[in-house]
Amino acid sequence: MTPRRSAHDVLTIALRKPGDVITLRRCTQSVCRAAGLTGRPLVRLTTVVSEAGEHLLGAPGLSAHLCLEETDTVMVTVRIHWRGDHRPPSPLLSAAGRLLDDSRLTGPHDDGRHELVLAQRTAAPAASLGDLAADVRANLADGGTAADLIEVLRTQNGQLLAALEESQRQQEELQRLNAELEETNAGVMALYSELAGELQATNTGVVALYAELEDKSRRLELANGHGRPVRRLPAHPRPRRRPSRQRPRLPSSRHPQQRLARPHDVTTNSNTRSNAGVDATPFPDELLQTQAAFNATYAALAAPHRRNTTALRRRLLRLSVRLWWHPYWNTAHSVPAARTQLRQLARTREAARAA
């Protein structure tokens, strides 16, 4: 529901020549000051009113009506009426909508008139609005508030200078913000380029590392017998020891039936002792634990649908290196046989532990 307006007329001015527009501007300033409207709101209203009067000058029946309206607030209102096809320009209407509290264009009405309403809100006066309107009318009729043209010009020049200073200050602030924005953009672009270069270098290094790990893993698997058929040891491998160069002793005359030992018997006995030594070789606990960890990692990697295969491959590679270069193999008599026995012993212990 629109609140009921209570309007108190102040002055009506017919606009026929440019001097009438100046009079309208001066009267609007007087009404605004009397109603307590000062500062930027006063400048906005008087500027828009004078610009509208200048653009509509020459329209049939052009007049301006100043009044004080009261609804929920007090408004200083200027109503401009005219007939014909004249229309205020769109930029003026847009500026009025941004600068003023109320701005609307209506018409044509039944009598063919158009109406442009320009209003600015002000504080409620101490006296009644009717008494204030009567005082303003009396002052305008007596000419007591008719400002001198030089004073008006001085006031307008001061307002123009203030507006120019404000515009210059805003322009400098805008230039400073643009410079900061350009500097920030340059820094962001430099950081982005640096991060992109580092990411490319990291990706290249990761690819090279994966290729190297894959190659080393393949070599270790081949060296450990995973990638090629394992050559079985003969039933009686030759011993690593050099055969004794001592000549066998001849049987004594007291035992005529004793015969010389054949070379085949000597070799067989030596191989048996060597195999027995390998079987009885005590592996270090650390080596057994490493082999057990290698078997468990290999089984986990061979399981289907594994997700953390990268970590498992790296662990398998580290364990393979530790197994291959363990100091124990420097003292073993038969390294291939000892490695096979180590794997079998680790599997046996795992099976016993699982049972």
Side-chain angles (χ1 to χ4, degrees):
M1 181 177 179
T2 304
R4 184 170 178 269
R5 291 179 179 268
S6 174
H8 301 272
D9 298 336
V10 176
L11 181 66
T12 301
I13 301 175
L15 303 176
R16 299 185 180 90
K17 55 185 183 296
D20 297 335
V21 177
I22 298 175
T23 304
L24 173 63
R25 180 184 181 92
R26 291 164 53 192
C27 293
T28 304
Q29 291 177 348
S30 300
V31 174
C32 291
R33 290 192 184 96
L37 186 65
T38 59
R40 291 185 180 180
L42 183 147
V43 175
R44 292 174 181 174
L45 180 59
T46 55
T47 302
V48 174
V49 168
S50 62
E51 287 293 325
E54 290 180 0
H55 283 92
L56 295 174
L57 194 62
L62 182 62
S63 63
H65 181 66
L66 280 73
C67 61
L68 297 176
E69 296 182 352
E70 183 179 10
T71 54
D72 52 347
T73 58
V74 177
M75 306 284 287
V76 178
T77 307
V78 179
R79 296 177 178 270
I80 302 177
H81 304 91
W82 74 95
R83 292 184 177 86
D85 298 333
H86 289 73
R87 181 179 176 84
S90 299
L92 175 62
L93 297 178
S94 301
R98 293 193 307 269
L99 298 176
L100 302 181
D101 296 327
D102 187 10
S103 173
R104 59 185 184 274
L105 176 64
T106 60
H109 299 284
D110 296 338
D111 55 357
R113 291 195 311 168
H114 301 268
E115 183 182 41
L116 176 62
V117 179
L118 305 173
Q120 193 77 339
R121 185 180 297 109
T122 185
S128 64
L129 201 59
D131 296 340
L132 178 61
D135 293 341
V136 173
R137 283 195 302 269
N139 292 333
L140 290 175
D142 295 340
T145 58
D148 187 74
L149 293 178
I150 298 177
E151 183 66 24
V152 173
L153 182 61
R154 185 182 296 112
T155 304
Q156 292 178 354
N157 289 338
Q159 295 173 354
L160 180 60
L161 289 175
L164 290 176
E165 290 178 359
E166 180 69 18
S167 177
Q168 182 67 23
R169 186 163 50 252
Q170 292 180 357
Q171 186 176 2
E172 292 176 355
E173 182 69 14
L174 182 61
Q175 291 178 355
R176 185 184 65 82
L177 294 177
N178 288 336
E180 292 181 358
L181 181 60
E182 291 179 359
E183 183 179 358
T184 303
N185 290 339
V188 170
M189 292 302 297
L191 179 61
Y192 177 78
S193 301
E194 182 179 356
L195 291 178
E198 292 181 359
L199 181 60
Q200 182 66 25
T202 303
N203 291 338
T204 304
V206 169
V207 171
L209 178 62
Y210 271 110
E212 183 179 358
L213 291 176
E214 290 290 340
D215 182 65
K216 289 184 178 180
S217 178
R218 187 164 47 252
R219 290 183 181 181
L220 289 175
E221 289 179 358
L222 292 175
N224 289 332
H226 295 294
R228 60 181 180 182
V230 180
R231 185 177 63 181
R232 298 181 178 277
L233 296 175
H236 300 285
R238 293 184 178 183
R240 290 181 177 271
R241 299 177 182 177
R242 290 185 177 181
S244 178
R245 294 184 179 180
Q246 296 180 358
R247 300 175 64 181
R249 291 180 300 175
L250 295 176
S252 61
S253 58
R254 283 178 292 183
H255 300 283
Q257 295 181 354
Q258 186 177 5
R259 60 183 180 85
L260 294 175
R262 292 178 298 176
H264 176 70
D265 297 337
V266 175
T267 305
T268 302
N269 295 335
S270 300
N271 291 339
T272 302
R273 288 194 301 271
S274 177
N275 291 336
V278 171
D279 294 339
T281 299
F283 294 104
D285 293 339
E286 178 188 359
L287 186 59
L288 279 171
Q289 294 176 1
T290 304
Q291 183 64 47
F294 179 87
N295 295 341
T297 305
Y298 188 86
L301 188 61
H305 306 294
R306 296 294 300 184
R307 293 185 178 181
N308 55 343
T309 56
T310 302
L312 292 176
R313 287 178 182 273
R314 293 178 180 176
R315 177 175 173 79
L316 189 66
L317 180 60
R318 290 195 298 268
L319 293 174
S320 299
V321 172
R322 290 171 58 184
L323 285 174
W324 183 260
W325 298 105
H326 197 276
Y328 170 77
W329 306 120
N330 297 329
T331 61
H333 296 287
S334 179
V335 176
R339 291 183 186 277
T340 303
Q341 184 183 6
L342 176 64
R343 290 193 291 270
Q344 293 177 354
L345 181 59
R347 294 192 186 98
T348 302
R349 290 190 177 185
E350 291 175 5
R353 189 179 298 107

